[in-house]
């Protein structure tokens, strides 16, 4: 907390600015896009504060940074989603989930967690299916598969059943779950029915998810050094 907390102060301030200004979504502008993306920009700075050499030499951290970059682009597209840019935002976040999955890695495999996430993802899509039409029928299916896979890799890396887990792995897991809650709320609100306080739920869980996933990169160096020694 002492070492990483101060680096996150700009993120918390930017998040407060977003919620205090609460700019209307009915009038999209570059200013509203900037305010929405500002907390993610601060997470870029948070990771860059650990040093360029650290990011270059540790693939997990650099992939999380790349994921945050694509997230910011996706956020900007979603500002103009009513003007036809929703699919563009969906694509940017799909790439983000691929990058996060790659950062979390495939070890340990944990097939039980994979089966659980498969069931959750399939259930979500089965519920949404009757509300979908046109290209969204398969685009949403692919997106759910990608975020479900990302969630699986985050859960598998946590390893709560033994003494190999760390707080950064736990933050990655919680972050992935919050990301899924945020995106599910978007899907329900857009395709199914109005969700009360949807915007607050979506953005609060989204910002928390991105912060926790960014935090998961902090211990990358120590983990990789440990694997090399082993």
């Amino acid at each position: 907390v002492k070492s990483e907390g101060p680096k996150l102060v700009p993120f918390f301030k930017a998040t407060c600015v977003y919620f205090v200004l609460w700019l209307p979504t009915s009038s999209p502008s570059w200013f509203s896009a900037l305010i929405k993306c500002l907390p993610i920009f601060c997470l870029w700075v948070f990771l860059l504060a650990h040093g360029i050499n650290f990011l270059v030499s540790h693939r997990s951290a650099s992939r999380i940074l790349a994921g945050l970059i694509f997230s910011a682009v996706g956020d900007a597209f979603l500002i103009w989603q009513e003007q036809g840019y929703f699919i563009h935002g969906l694509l940017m976040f799909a790439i983000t989930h691929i990058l996060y999955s790659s950062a979390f890695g495939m070890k340990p495999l944990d097939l039980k967690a994979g089966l659980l996430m498969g069931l959750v993802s399939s259930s979500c899509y089965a519920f949404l299916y009757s509300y979908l039409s046109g290209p969204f029928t398969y685009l949403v299916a692919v997106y759910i598969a990608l975020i479900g896979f990302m969630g699986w890799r985050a859960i598998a890396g946590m390893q709560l059943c033994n003494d190999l887990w760390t707080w950064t792995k736990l933050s990655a897991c919680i972050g992935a779950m919050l990301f899924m809650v945020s995106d599910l709320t978007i899907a329900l609100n857009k395709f199914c029915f109005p969700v009360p306080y949807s915007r607050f739920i979506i953005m609060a869980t989204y910002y928390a998810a991105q912060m926790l996933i960014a935090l998961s990169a902090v211990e990358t160096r120590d983990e990789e050094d440990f694997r090399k020694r082993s």
Side-chain angles (χ1 to χ4, degrees), residues 166-194:
T166 63
W167 69 269
T168 47
K169 289 179 180 177
L170 180 62
S171 71
C173 179
I174 297 174
M177 296 303 102
L178 288 175
F179 216 135
M180 295 179 72
V181 171
S182 179
D183 283 354
L184 179 60
T185 307
I186 291 175
L188 292 174
N189 192 65
K190 183 173 182 63
F191 300 114
C192 304
F193 47 80

Side-chain angles (χ1 to χ4, degrees), residues 33-34 37-46 48 68-69 72-73:
L34 174 62
C37 295
L38 192 58
I40 306 303
F41 295 158
C42 292
L43 291 179
W44 297 3
V45 175
F46 167 74
L48 289 169
L68 289 169
I69 292 171
V73 177

Side-chain angles (χ1 to χ4, degrees), residues 113-127 144 148 155 177 180 184:
L115 178 60
L116 174 62
M117 288 308 304
L119 290 172
V120 171
S121 300
S122 299
S123 299
C124 291
Y125 183 69
F127 178 82
I144 288 177
I155 294 174
M177 296 303 102
M180 295 179 72
L184 179 60

Side-chain angles (χ1 to χ4, degrees), residues 104-227:
F104 298 150
M106 290 302 296
K107 294 181 180 179
L109 193 59
D110 197 348
L111 293 177
K112 291 182 180 179
L115 178 60
L116 174 62
M117 288 308 304
L119 290 172
V120 171
S121 300
S122 299
S123 299
C124 291
Y125 183 69
F127 178 82
L128 292 169
Y129 181 77
S130 60
Y131 296 94
L132 303 173
S133 61
F136 286 113
T137 303
Y138 58 86
L139 288 175
V140 171
V142 173
Y143 187 86
I144 288 177
L146 289 175
I147 194 171
F149 184 82
M150 186 270 289
W152 169 31
R153 298 322 311 147
I155 294 174
M158 188 170 55
Q159 301 184 75
L160 274 179
C161 295
N162 53 49
D163 59 356
L164 297 177
W165 77 279
T166 63
W167 69 269
T168 47
K169 289 179 180 177
L170 180 62
S171 71
C173 179
I174 297 174
M177 296 303 102
L178 288 175
F179 216 135
M180 295 179 72
V181 171
S182 179
D183 283 354
L184 179 60
T185 307
I186 291 175
L188 292 174
N189 192 65
K190 183 173 182 63
F191 300 114
C192 304
F193 47 80
V195 177
Y197 308 106
S198 60
R199 185 181 173 193
F200 176 80
I201 295 170
I202 290 165
M203 297 310 300
T205 52
Y206 170 70
Y207 286 140
Q210 293 284 38
M211 180 196 70
L212 291 168
I213 290 173
L215 271 172
S216 72
V218 170
E219 219 170 42
T220 301
R221 175 166 43 200
D222 296 334
E223 291 171 6
E224 292 192 5
D225 290 344
F226 175 79
R227 283 197 291 268

